[in-house]
Amino acid sequence: MNLESWALFTATEAAMSLSPGPAVMMVVAVGIARGWKTSLFVTLGILTANAIYFALSATGIGSLLLTSPMLFMGIKYLGAAYLVYLGLSAILGKPSPISISRLDGPPQKGSRIFFSALSLQLTNPKILLTFVAILPQFIDQHEAVGLQMLILAICSIIPEFFILLGYGVLASKASHWATQEKYAVMTERIAGVLILCAATLVAAV
């Protein structure tokens, strides 16, 4: 794996993290109701789930390389097509604004919030598709899979941490802005364009 692949993967992951989804909505909801510091428990839960997926993917992709290189290549091209689908959906779709303004009930413990976020991410089918269809595109079949997965995990977790942190801080400081439809549309369109650019680069290499 070369530096270009690392940079492309990092940019792709950042664009996908920027697009509002269940994880972002939970970060914003907790940020609005409890403050950005409490929303960090959500972020840590989301990223822990991602780390688990990376660990499982390392074994699965390694086995796939050994058993069927042709199937591996097929998944790579399907992954590029999936990126195109995500990008077009973000650009052409009608995103809903983040409408959660408050969380009812007494304050929850950080551990409970963490495990709620962990469960949310582990049961999100979009995340599973991401790991199954997109990761193989950035794996060099001639190098150690485990080391590459570790590098990709770092390239994914670090930018997503700061993106989710940013959402939590913005929600905490400006809840009225975070829930506006204009903001949701703008963010989705930007993310869609970035994802399409990433898909184009993936298909070209």
Side-chain angles (χ1 to χ4, degrees):
M1 180 186 295
N2 53 39
L3 184 60
E4 181 180 334
S5 295
W6 293 349
L8 178 56
F9 177 78
T10 303
T12 302
E13 282 288 289
M16 295 179 67
S17 299
L18 181 66
S19 179
V24 169
M25 291 185 71
M26 187 173 184
V27 169
V28 170
V30 174
I32 290 173
R34 315 292 188 208
W36 70 270
K37 291 182 179 180
T38 304
S39 74
L40 283 174
F41 289 102
V42 180
T43 298
L44 293 177
I46 296 298
L47 297 182
T48 298
N50 288 354
I52 292 173
Y53 273 125
F54 271 106
L56 295 175
S57 298
T59 303
I61 292 177
S63 300
L64 184 61
L65 279 172
L66 292 175
T67 57
S68 180
M70 290 298 293
L71 178 60
F72 178 84
M73 292 300 297
I75 291 177
K76 286 186 65 172
Y77 288 115
L78 284 175
Y82 179 58
L83 281 176
V84 172
Y85 166 76
L86 290 178
L88 291 177
S89 296
I91 294 173
L92 302 177
K94 185 178 180 181
S96 300
I98 298 171
S99 58
I100 303 173
S101 59
R102 297 293 298 175
L103 289 181
D104 297 326
Q108 294 180 327
K109 292 183 179 179
S111 58
R112 185 173 181 179
I113 295 175
F114 170 86
F115 284 110
S116 294
L118 178 67
S119 300
L120 173 73
Q121 192 75 341
L122 287 176
T123 56
N124 186 349
K126 181 180 177 181
I127 302 303
L128 180 60
L129 277 174
T130 298
F131 279 87
V132 171
I134 295 178
L135 274 182
Q137 301 172 69
F138 301 94
I139 299 295
D140 190 332
Q141 302 178 56
H142 306 293
E143 297 181 13
V145 173
L147 178 59
Q148 293 181 77
M149 293 299 293
L150 177 61
I151 294 172
L152 292 178
I154 294 172
C155 290
S156 169
I157 289 173
I158 291 178
E160 185 166 4
F161 171 81
F162 286 105
I163 289 172
L164 294 179
L165 173 64
Y167 270 112
V169 171
L170 288 175
S172 178
K173 301 298 183 182
S175 60
H176 65 285
W177 182 72
T179 56
Q180 288 180 359
E181 182 177 0
K182 180 180 179 181
Y183 168 78
V185 172
M186 178 184 66
T187 303
E188 197 78 351
R189 299 298 185 263
I190 292 173
V193 171
L194 293 175
I195 292 172
L196 280 179
C197 290
T200 302
L201 292 174
V202 166
V205 296

